[in-house]
Amino acid sequence: MKTVFAKPASVDRKWFIIDAEGKVLGRVAARVASIVRGKNKAIFVPHQEIGDFVVVINAEKIKVTGRKAQQKMYYRHSGYPGGLKSNNFEKLIERSPEMPLELAIKGMLPKGPLGRKMAKNVKIYAGTNHPHSSQKPLPLEV
């Protein structure tokens, strides 16, 4: 079986916009990760970046189910002994409204250089204003 390579010039890359207001965090993240990865295209290959661009607006109004707002924890480490910091979902959304969605999407993308390149194709904004209106993004429902 031969390895299939998609020519970058032949790939039609579109822009999509998703309104995350009132949507569940994991469902939005899964949909965005699938589109950015290119799984919605017939020419999908797992080792190339052929996905589309996604703009997510109203990230501050995203919700989680159950009691996850108080119980879901996000950790980071400074690199020093005793440097483990933690925040729950409520505190993180106050401090940085885009961060929970960004972390969820990055966790669903491949690890390594390809995944980091794909993560740059996601633009997340806390409010409704975004600078990508000249790309004419198509609205996408989750």
Side-chain angles (χ1 to χ4, degrees):
M1 203 161 172
K2 292 184 177 181
T3 303
V4 178
F5 287 94
K7 292 184 174 64
S10 66
V11 176
D12 181 33
R13 300 181 76 185
K14 297 177 184 171
W15 283 76
F16 293 104
I17 187 165
I18 295 178
D19 187 4
E21 184 175 358
K23 304 284 190 328
V24 180
L25 173 69
R27 293 183 188 260
V28 173
R31 180 79 167 155
V32 170
S34 177
I35 291 168
V36 168
R37 193 141 185 237
K39 287 193 154 198
N40 58 336
K41 297 183 177 190
I43 58 169
F44 170 71
V45 285
H47 56 86
Q48 278 186 295
E49 183 204 11
I50 59 166
D52 298 318
F53 297 91
V54 179
V55 178
V56 182
I57 57 172
N58 289 325
E60 64 190 3
K61 297 176 184 168
I62 203 158
K63 66 175 190 168
V64 288
T65 58
R67 293 176 41 201
K68 290 189 197 94
Q70 295 87 25
Q71 293 179 345
K72 184 169 177 55
M73 299 300 287
Y74 292 91
Y75 299 98
R76 65 187 193 281
H77 199 282
S78 66
Y80 291 99
L84 184 65
K85 309 286 183 196
S86 62
N87 278 330
N88 64 7
F89 178 82
E90 284 179 337
K91 288 182 183 174
L92 188 63
I93 208 106
E94 281 177 19
R95 193 179 64 127
S96 177
E98 304 92 4
M99 193 58 72
L101 186 58
E102 184 180 329
L103 291 172
I105 293 168
K106 279 185 180 177
M108 295 179 187
L109 291 175
K111 310 306 179 254
L114 181 64
R116 288 190 295 271
K117 194 172 180 184
M118 287 177 182
K120 290 179 183 175
N121 295 340
V122 180
K123 316 295 183 193
I124 303 172
Y125 298 99
T128 56
N129 297 335
H130 63 88
H132 305 288
S133 56
S134 60
Q135 279 80 19
K136 297 183 182 82
L138 303 169
L140 196 64
E141 203 51 44
V142 178

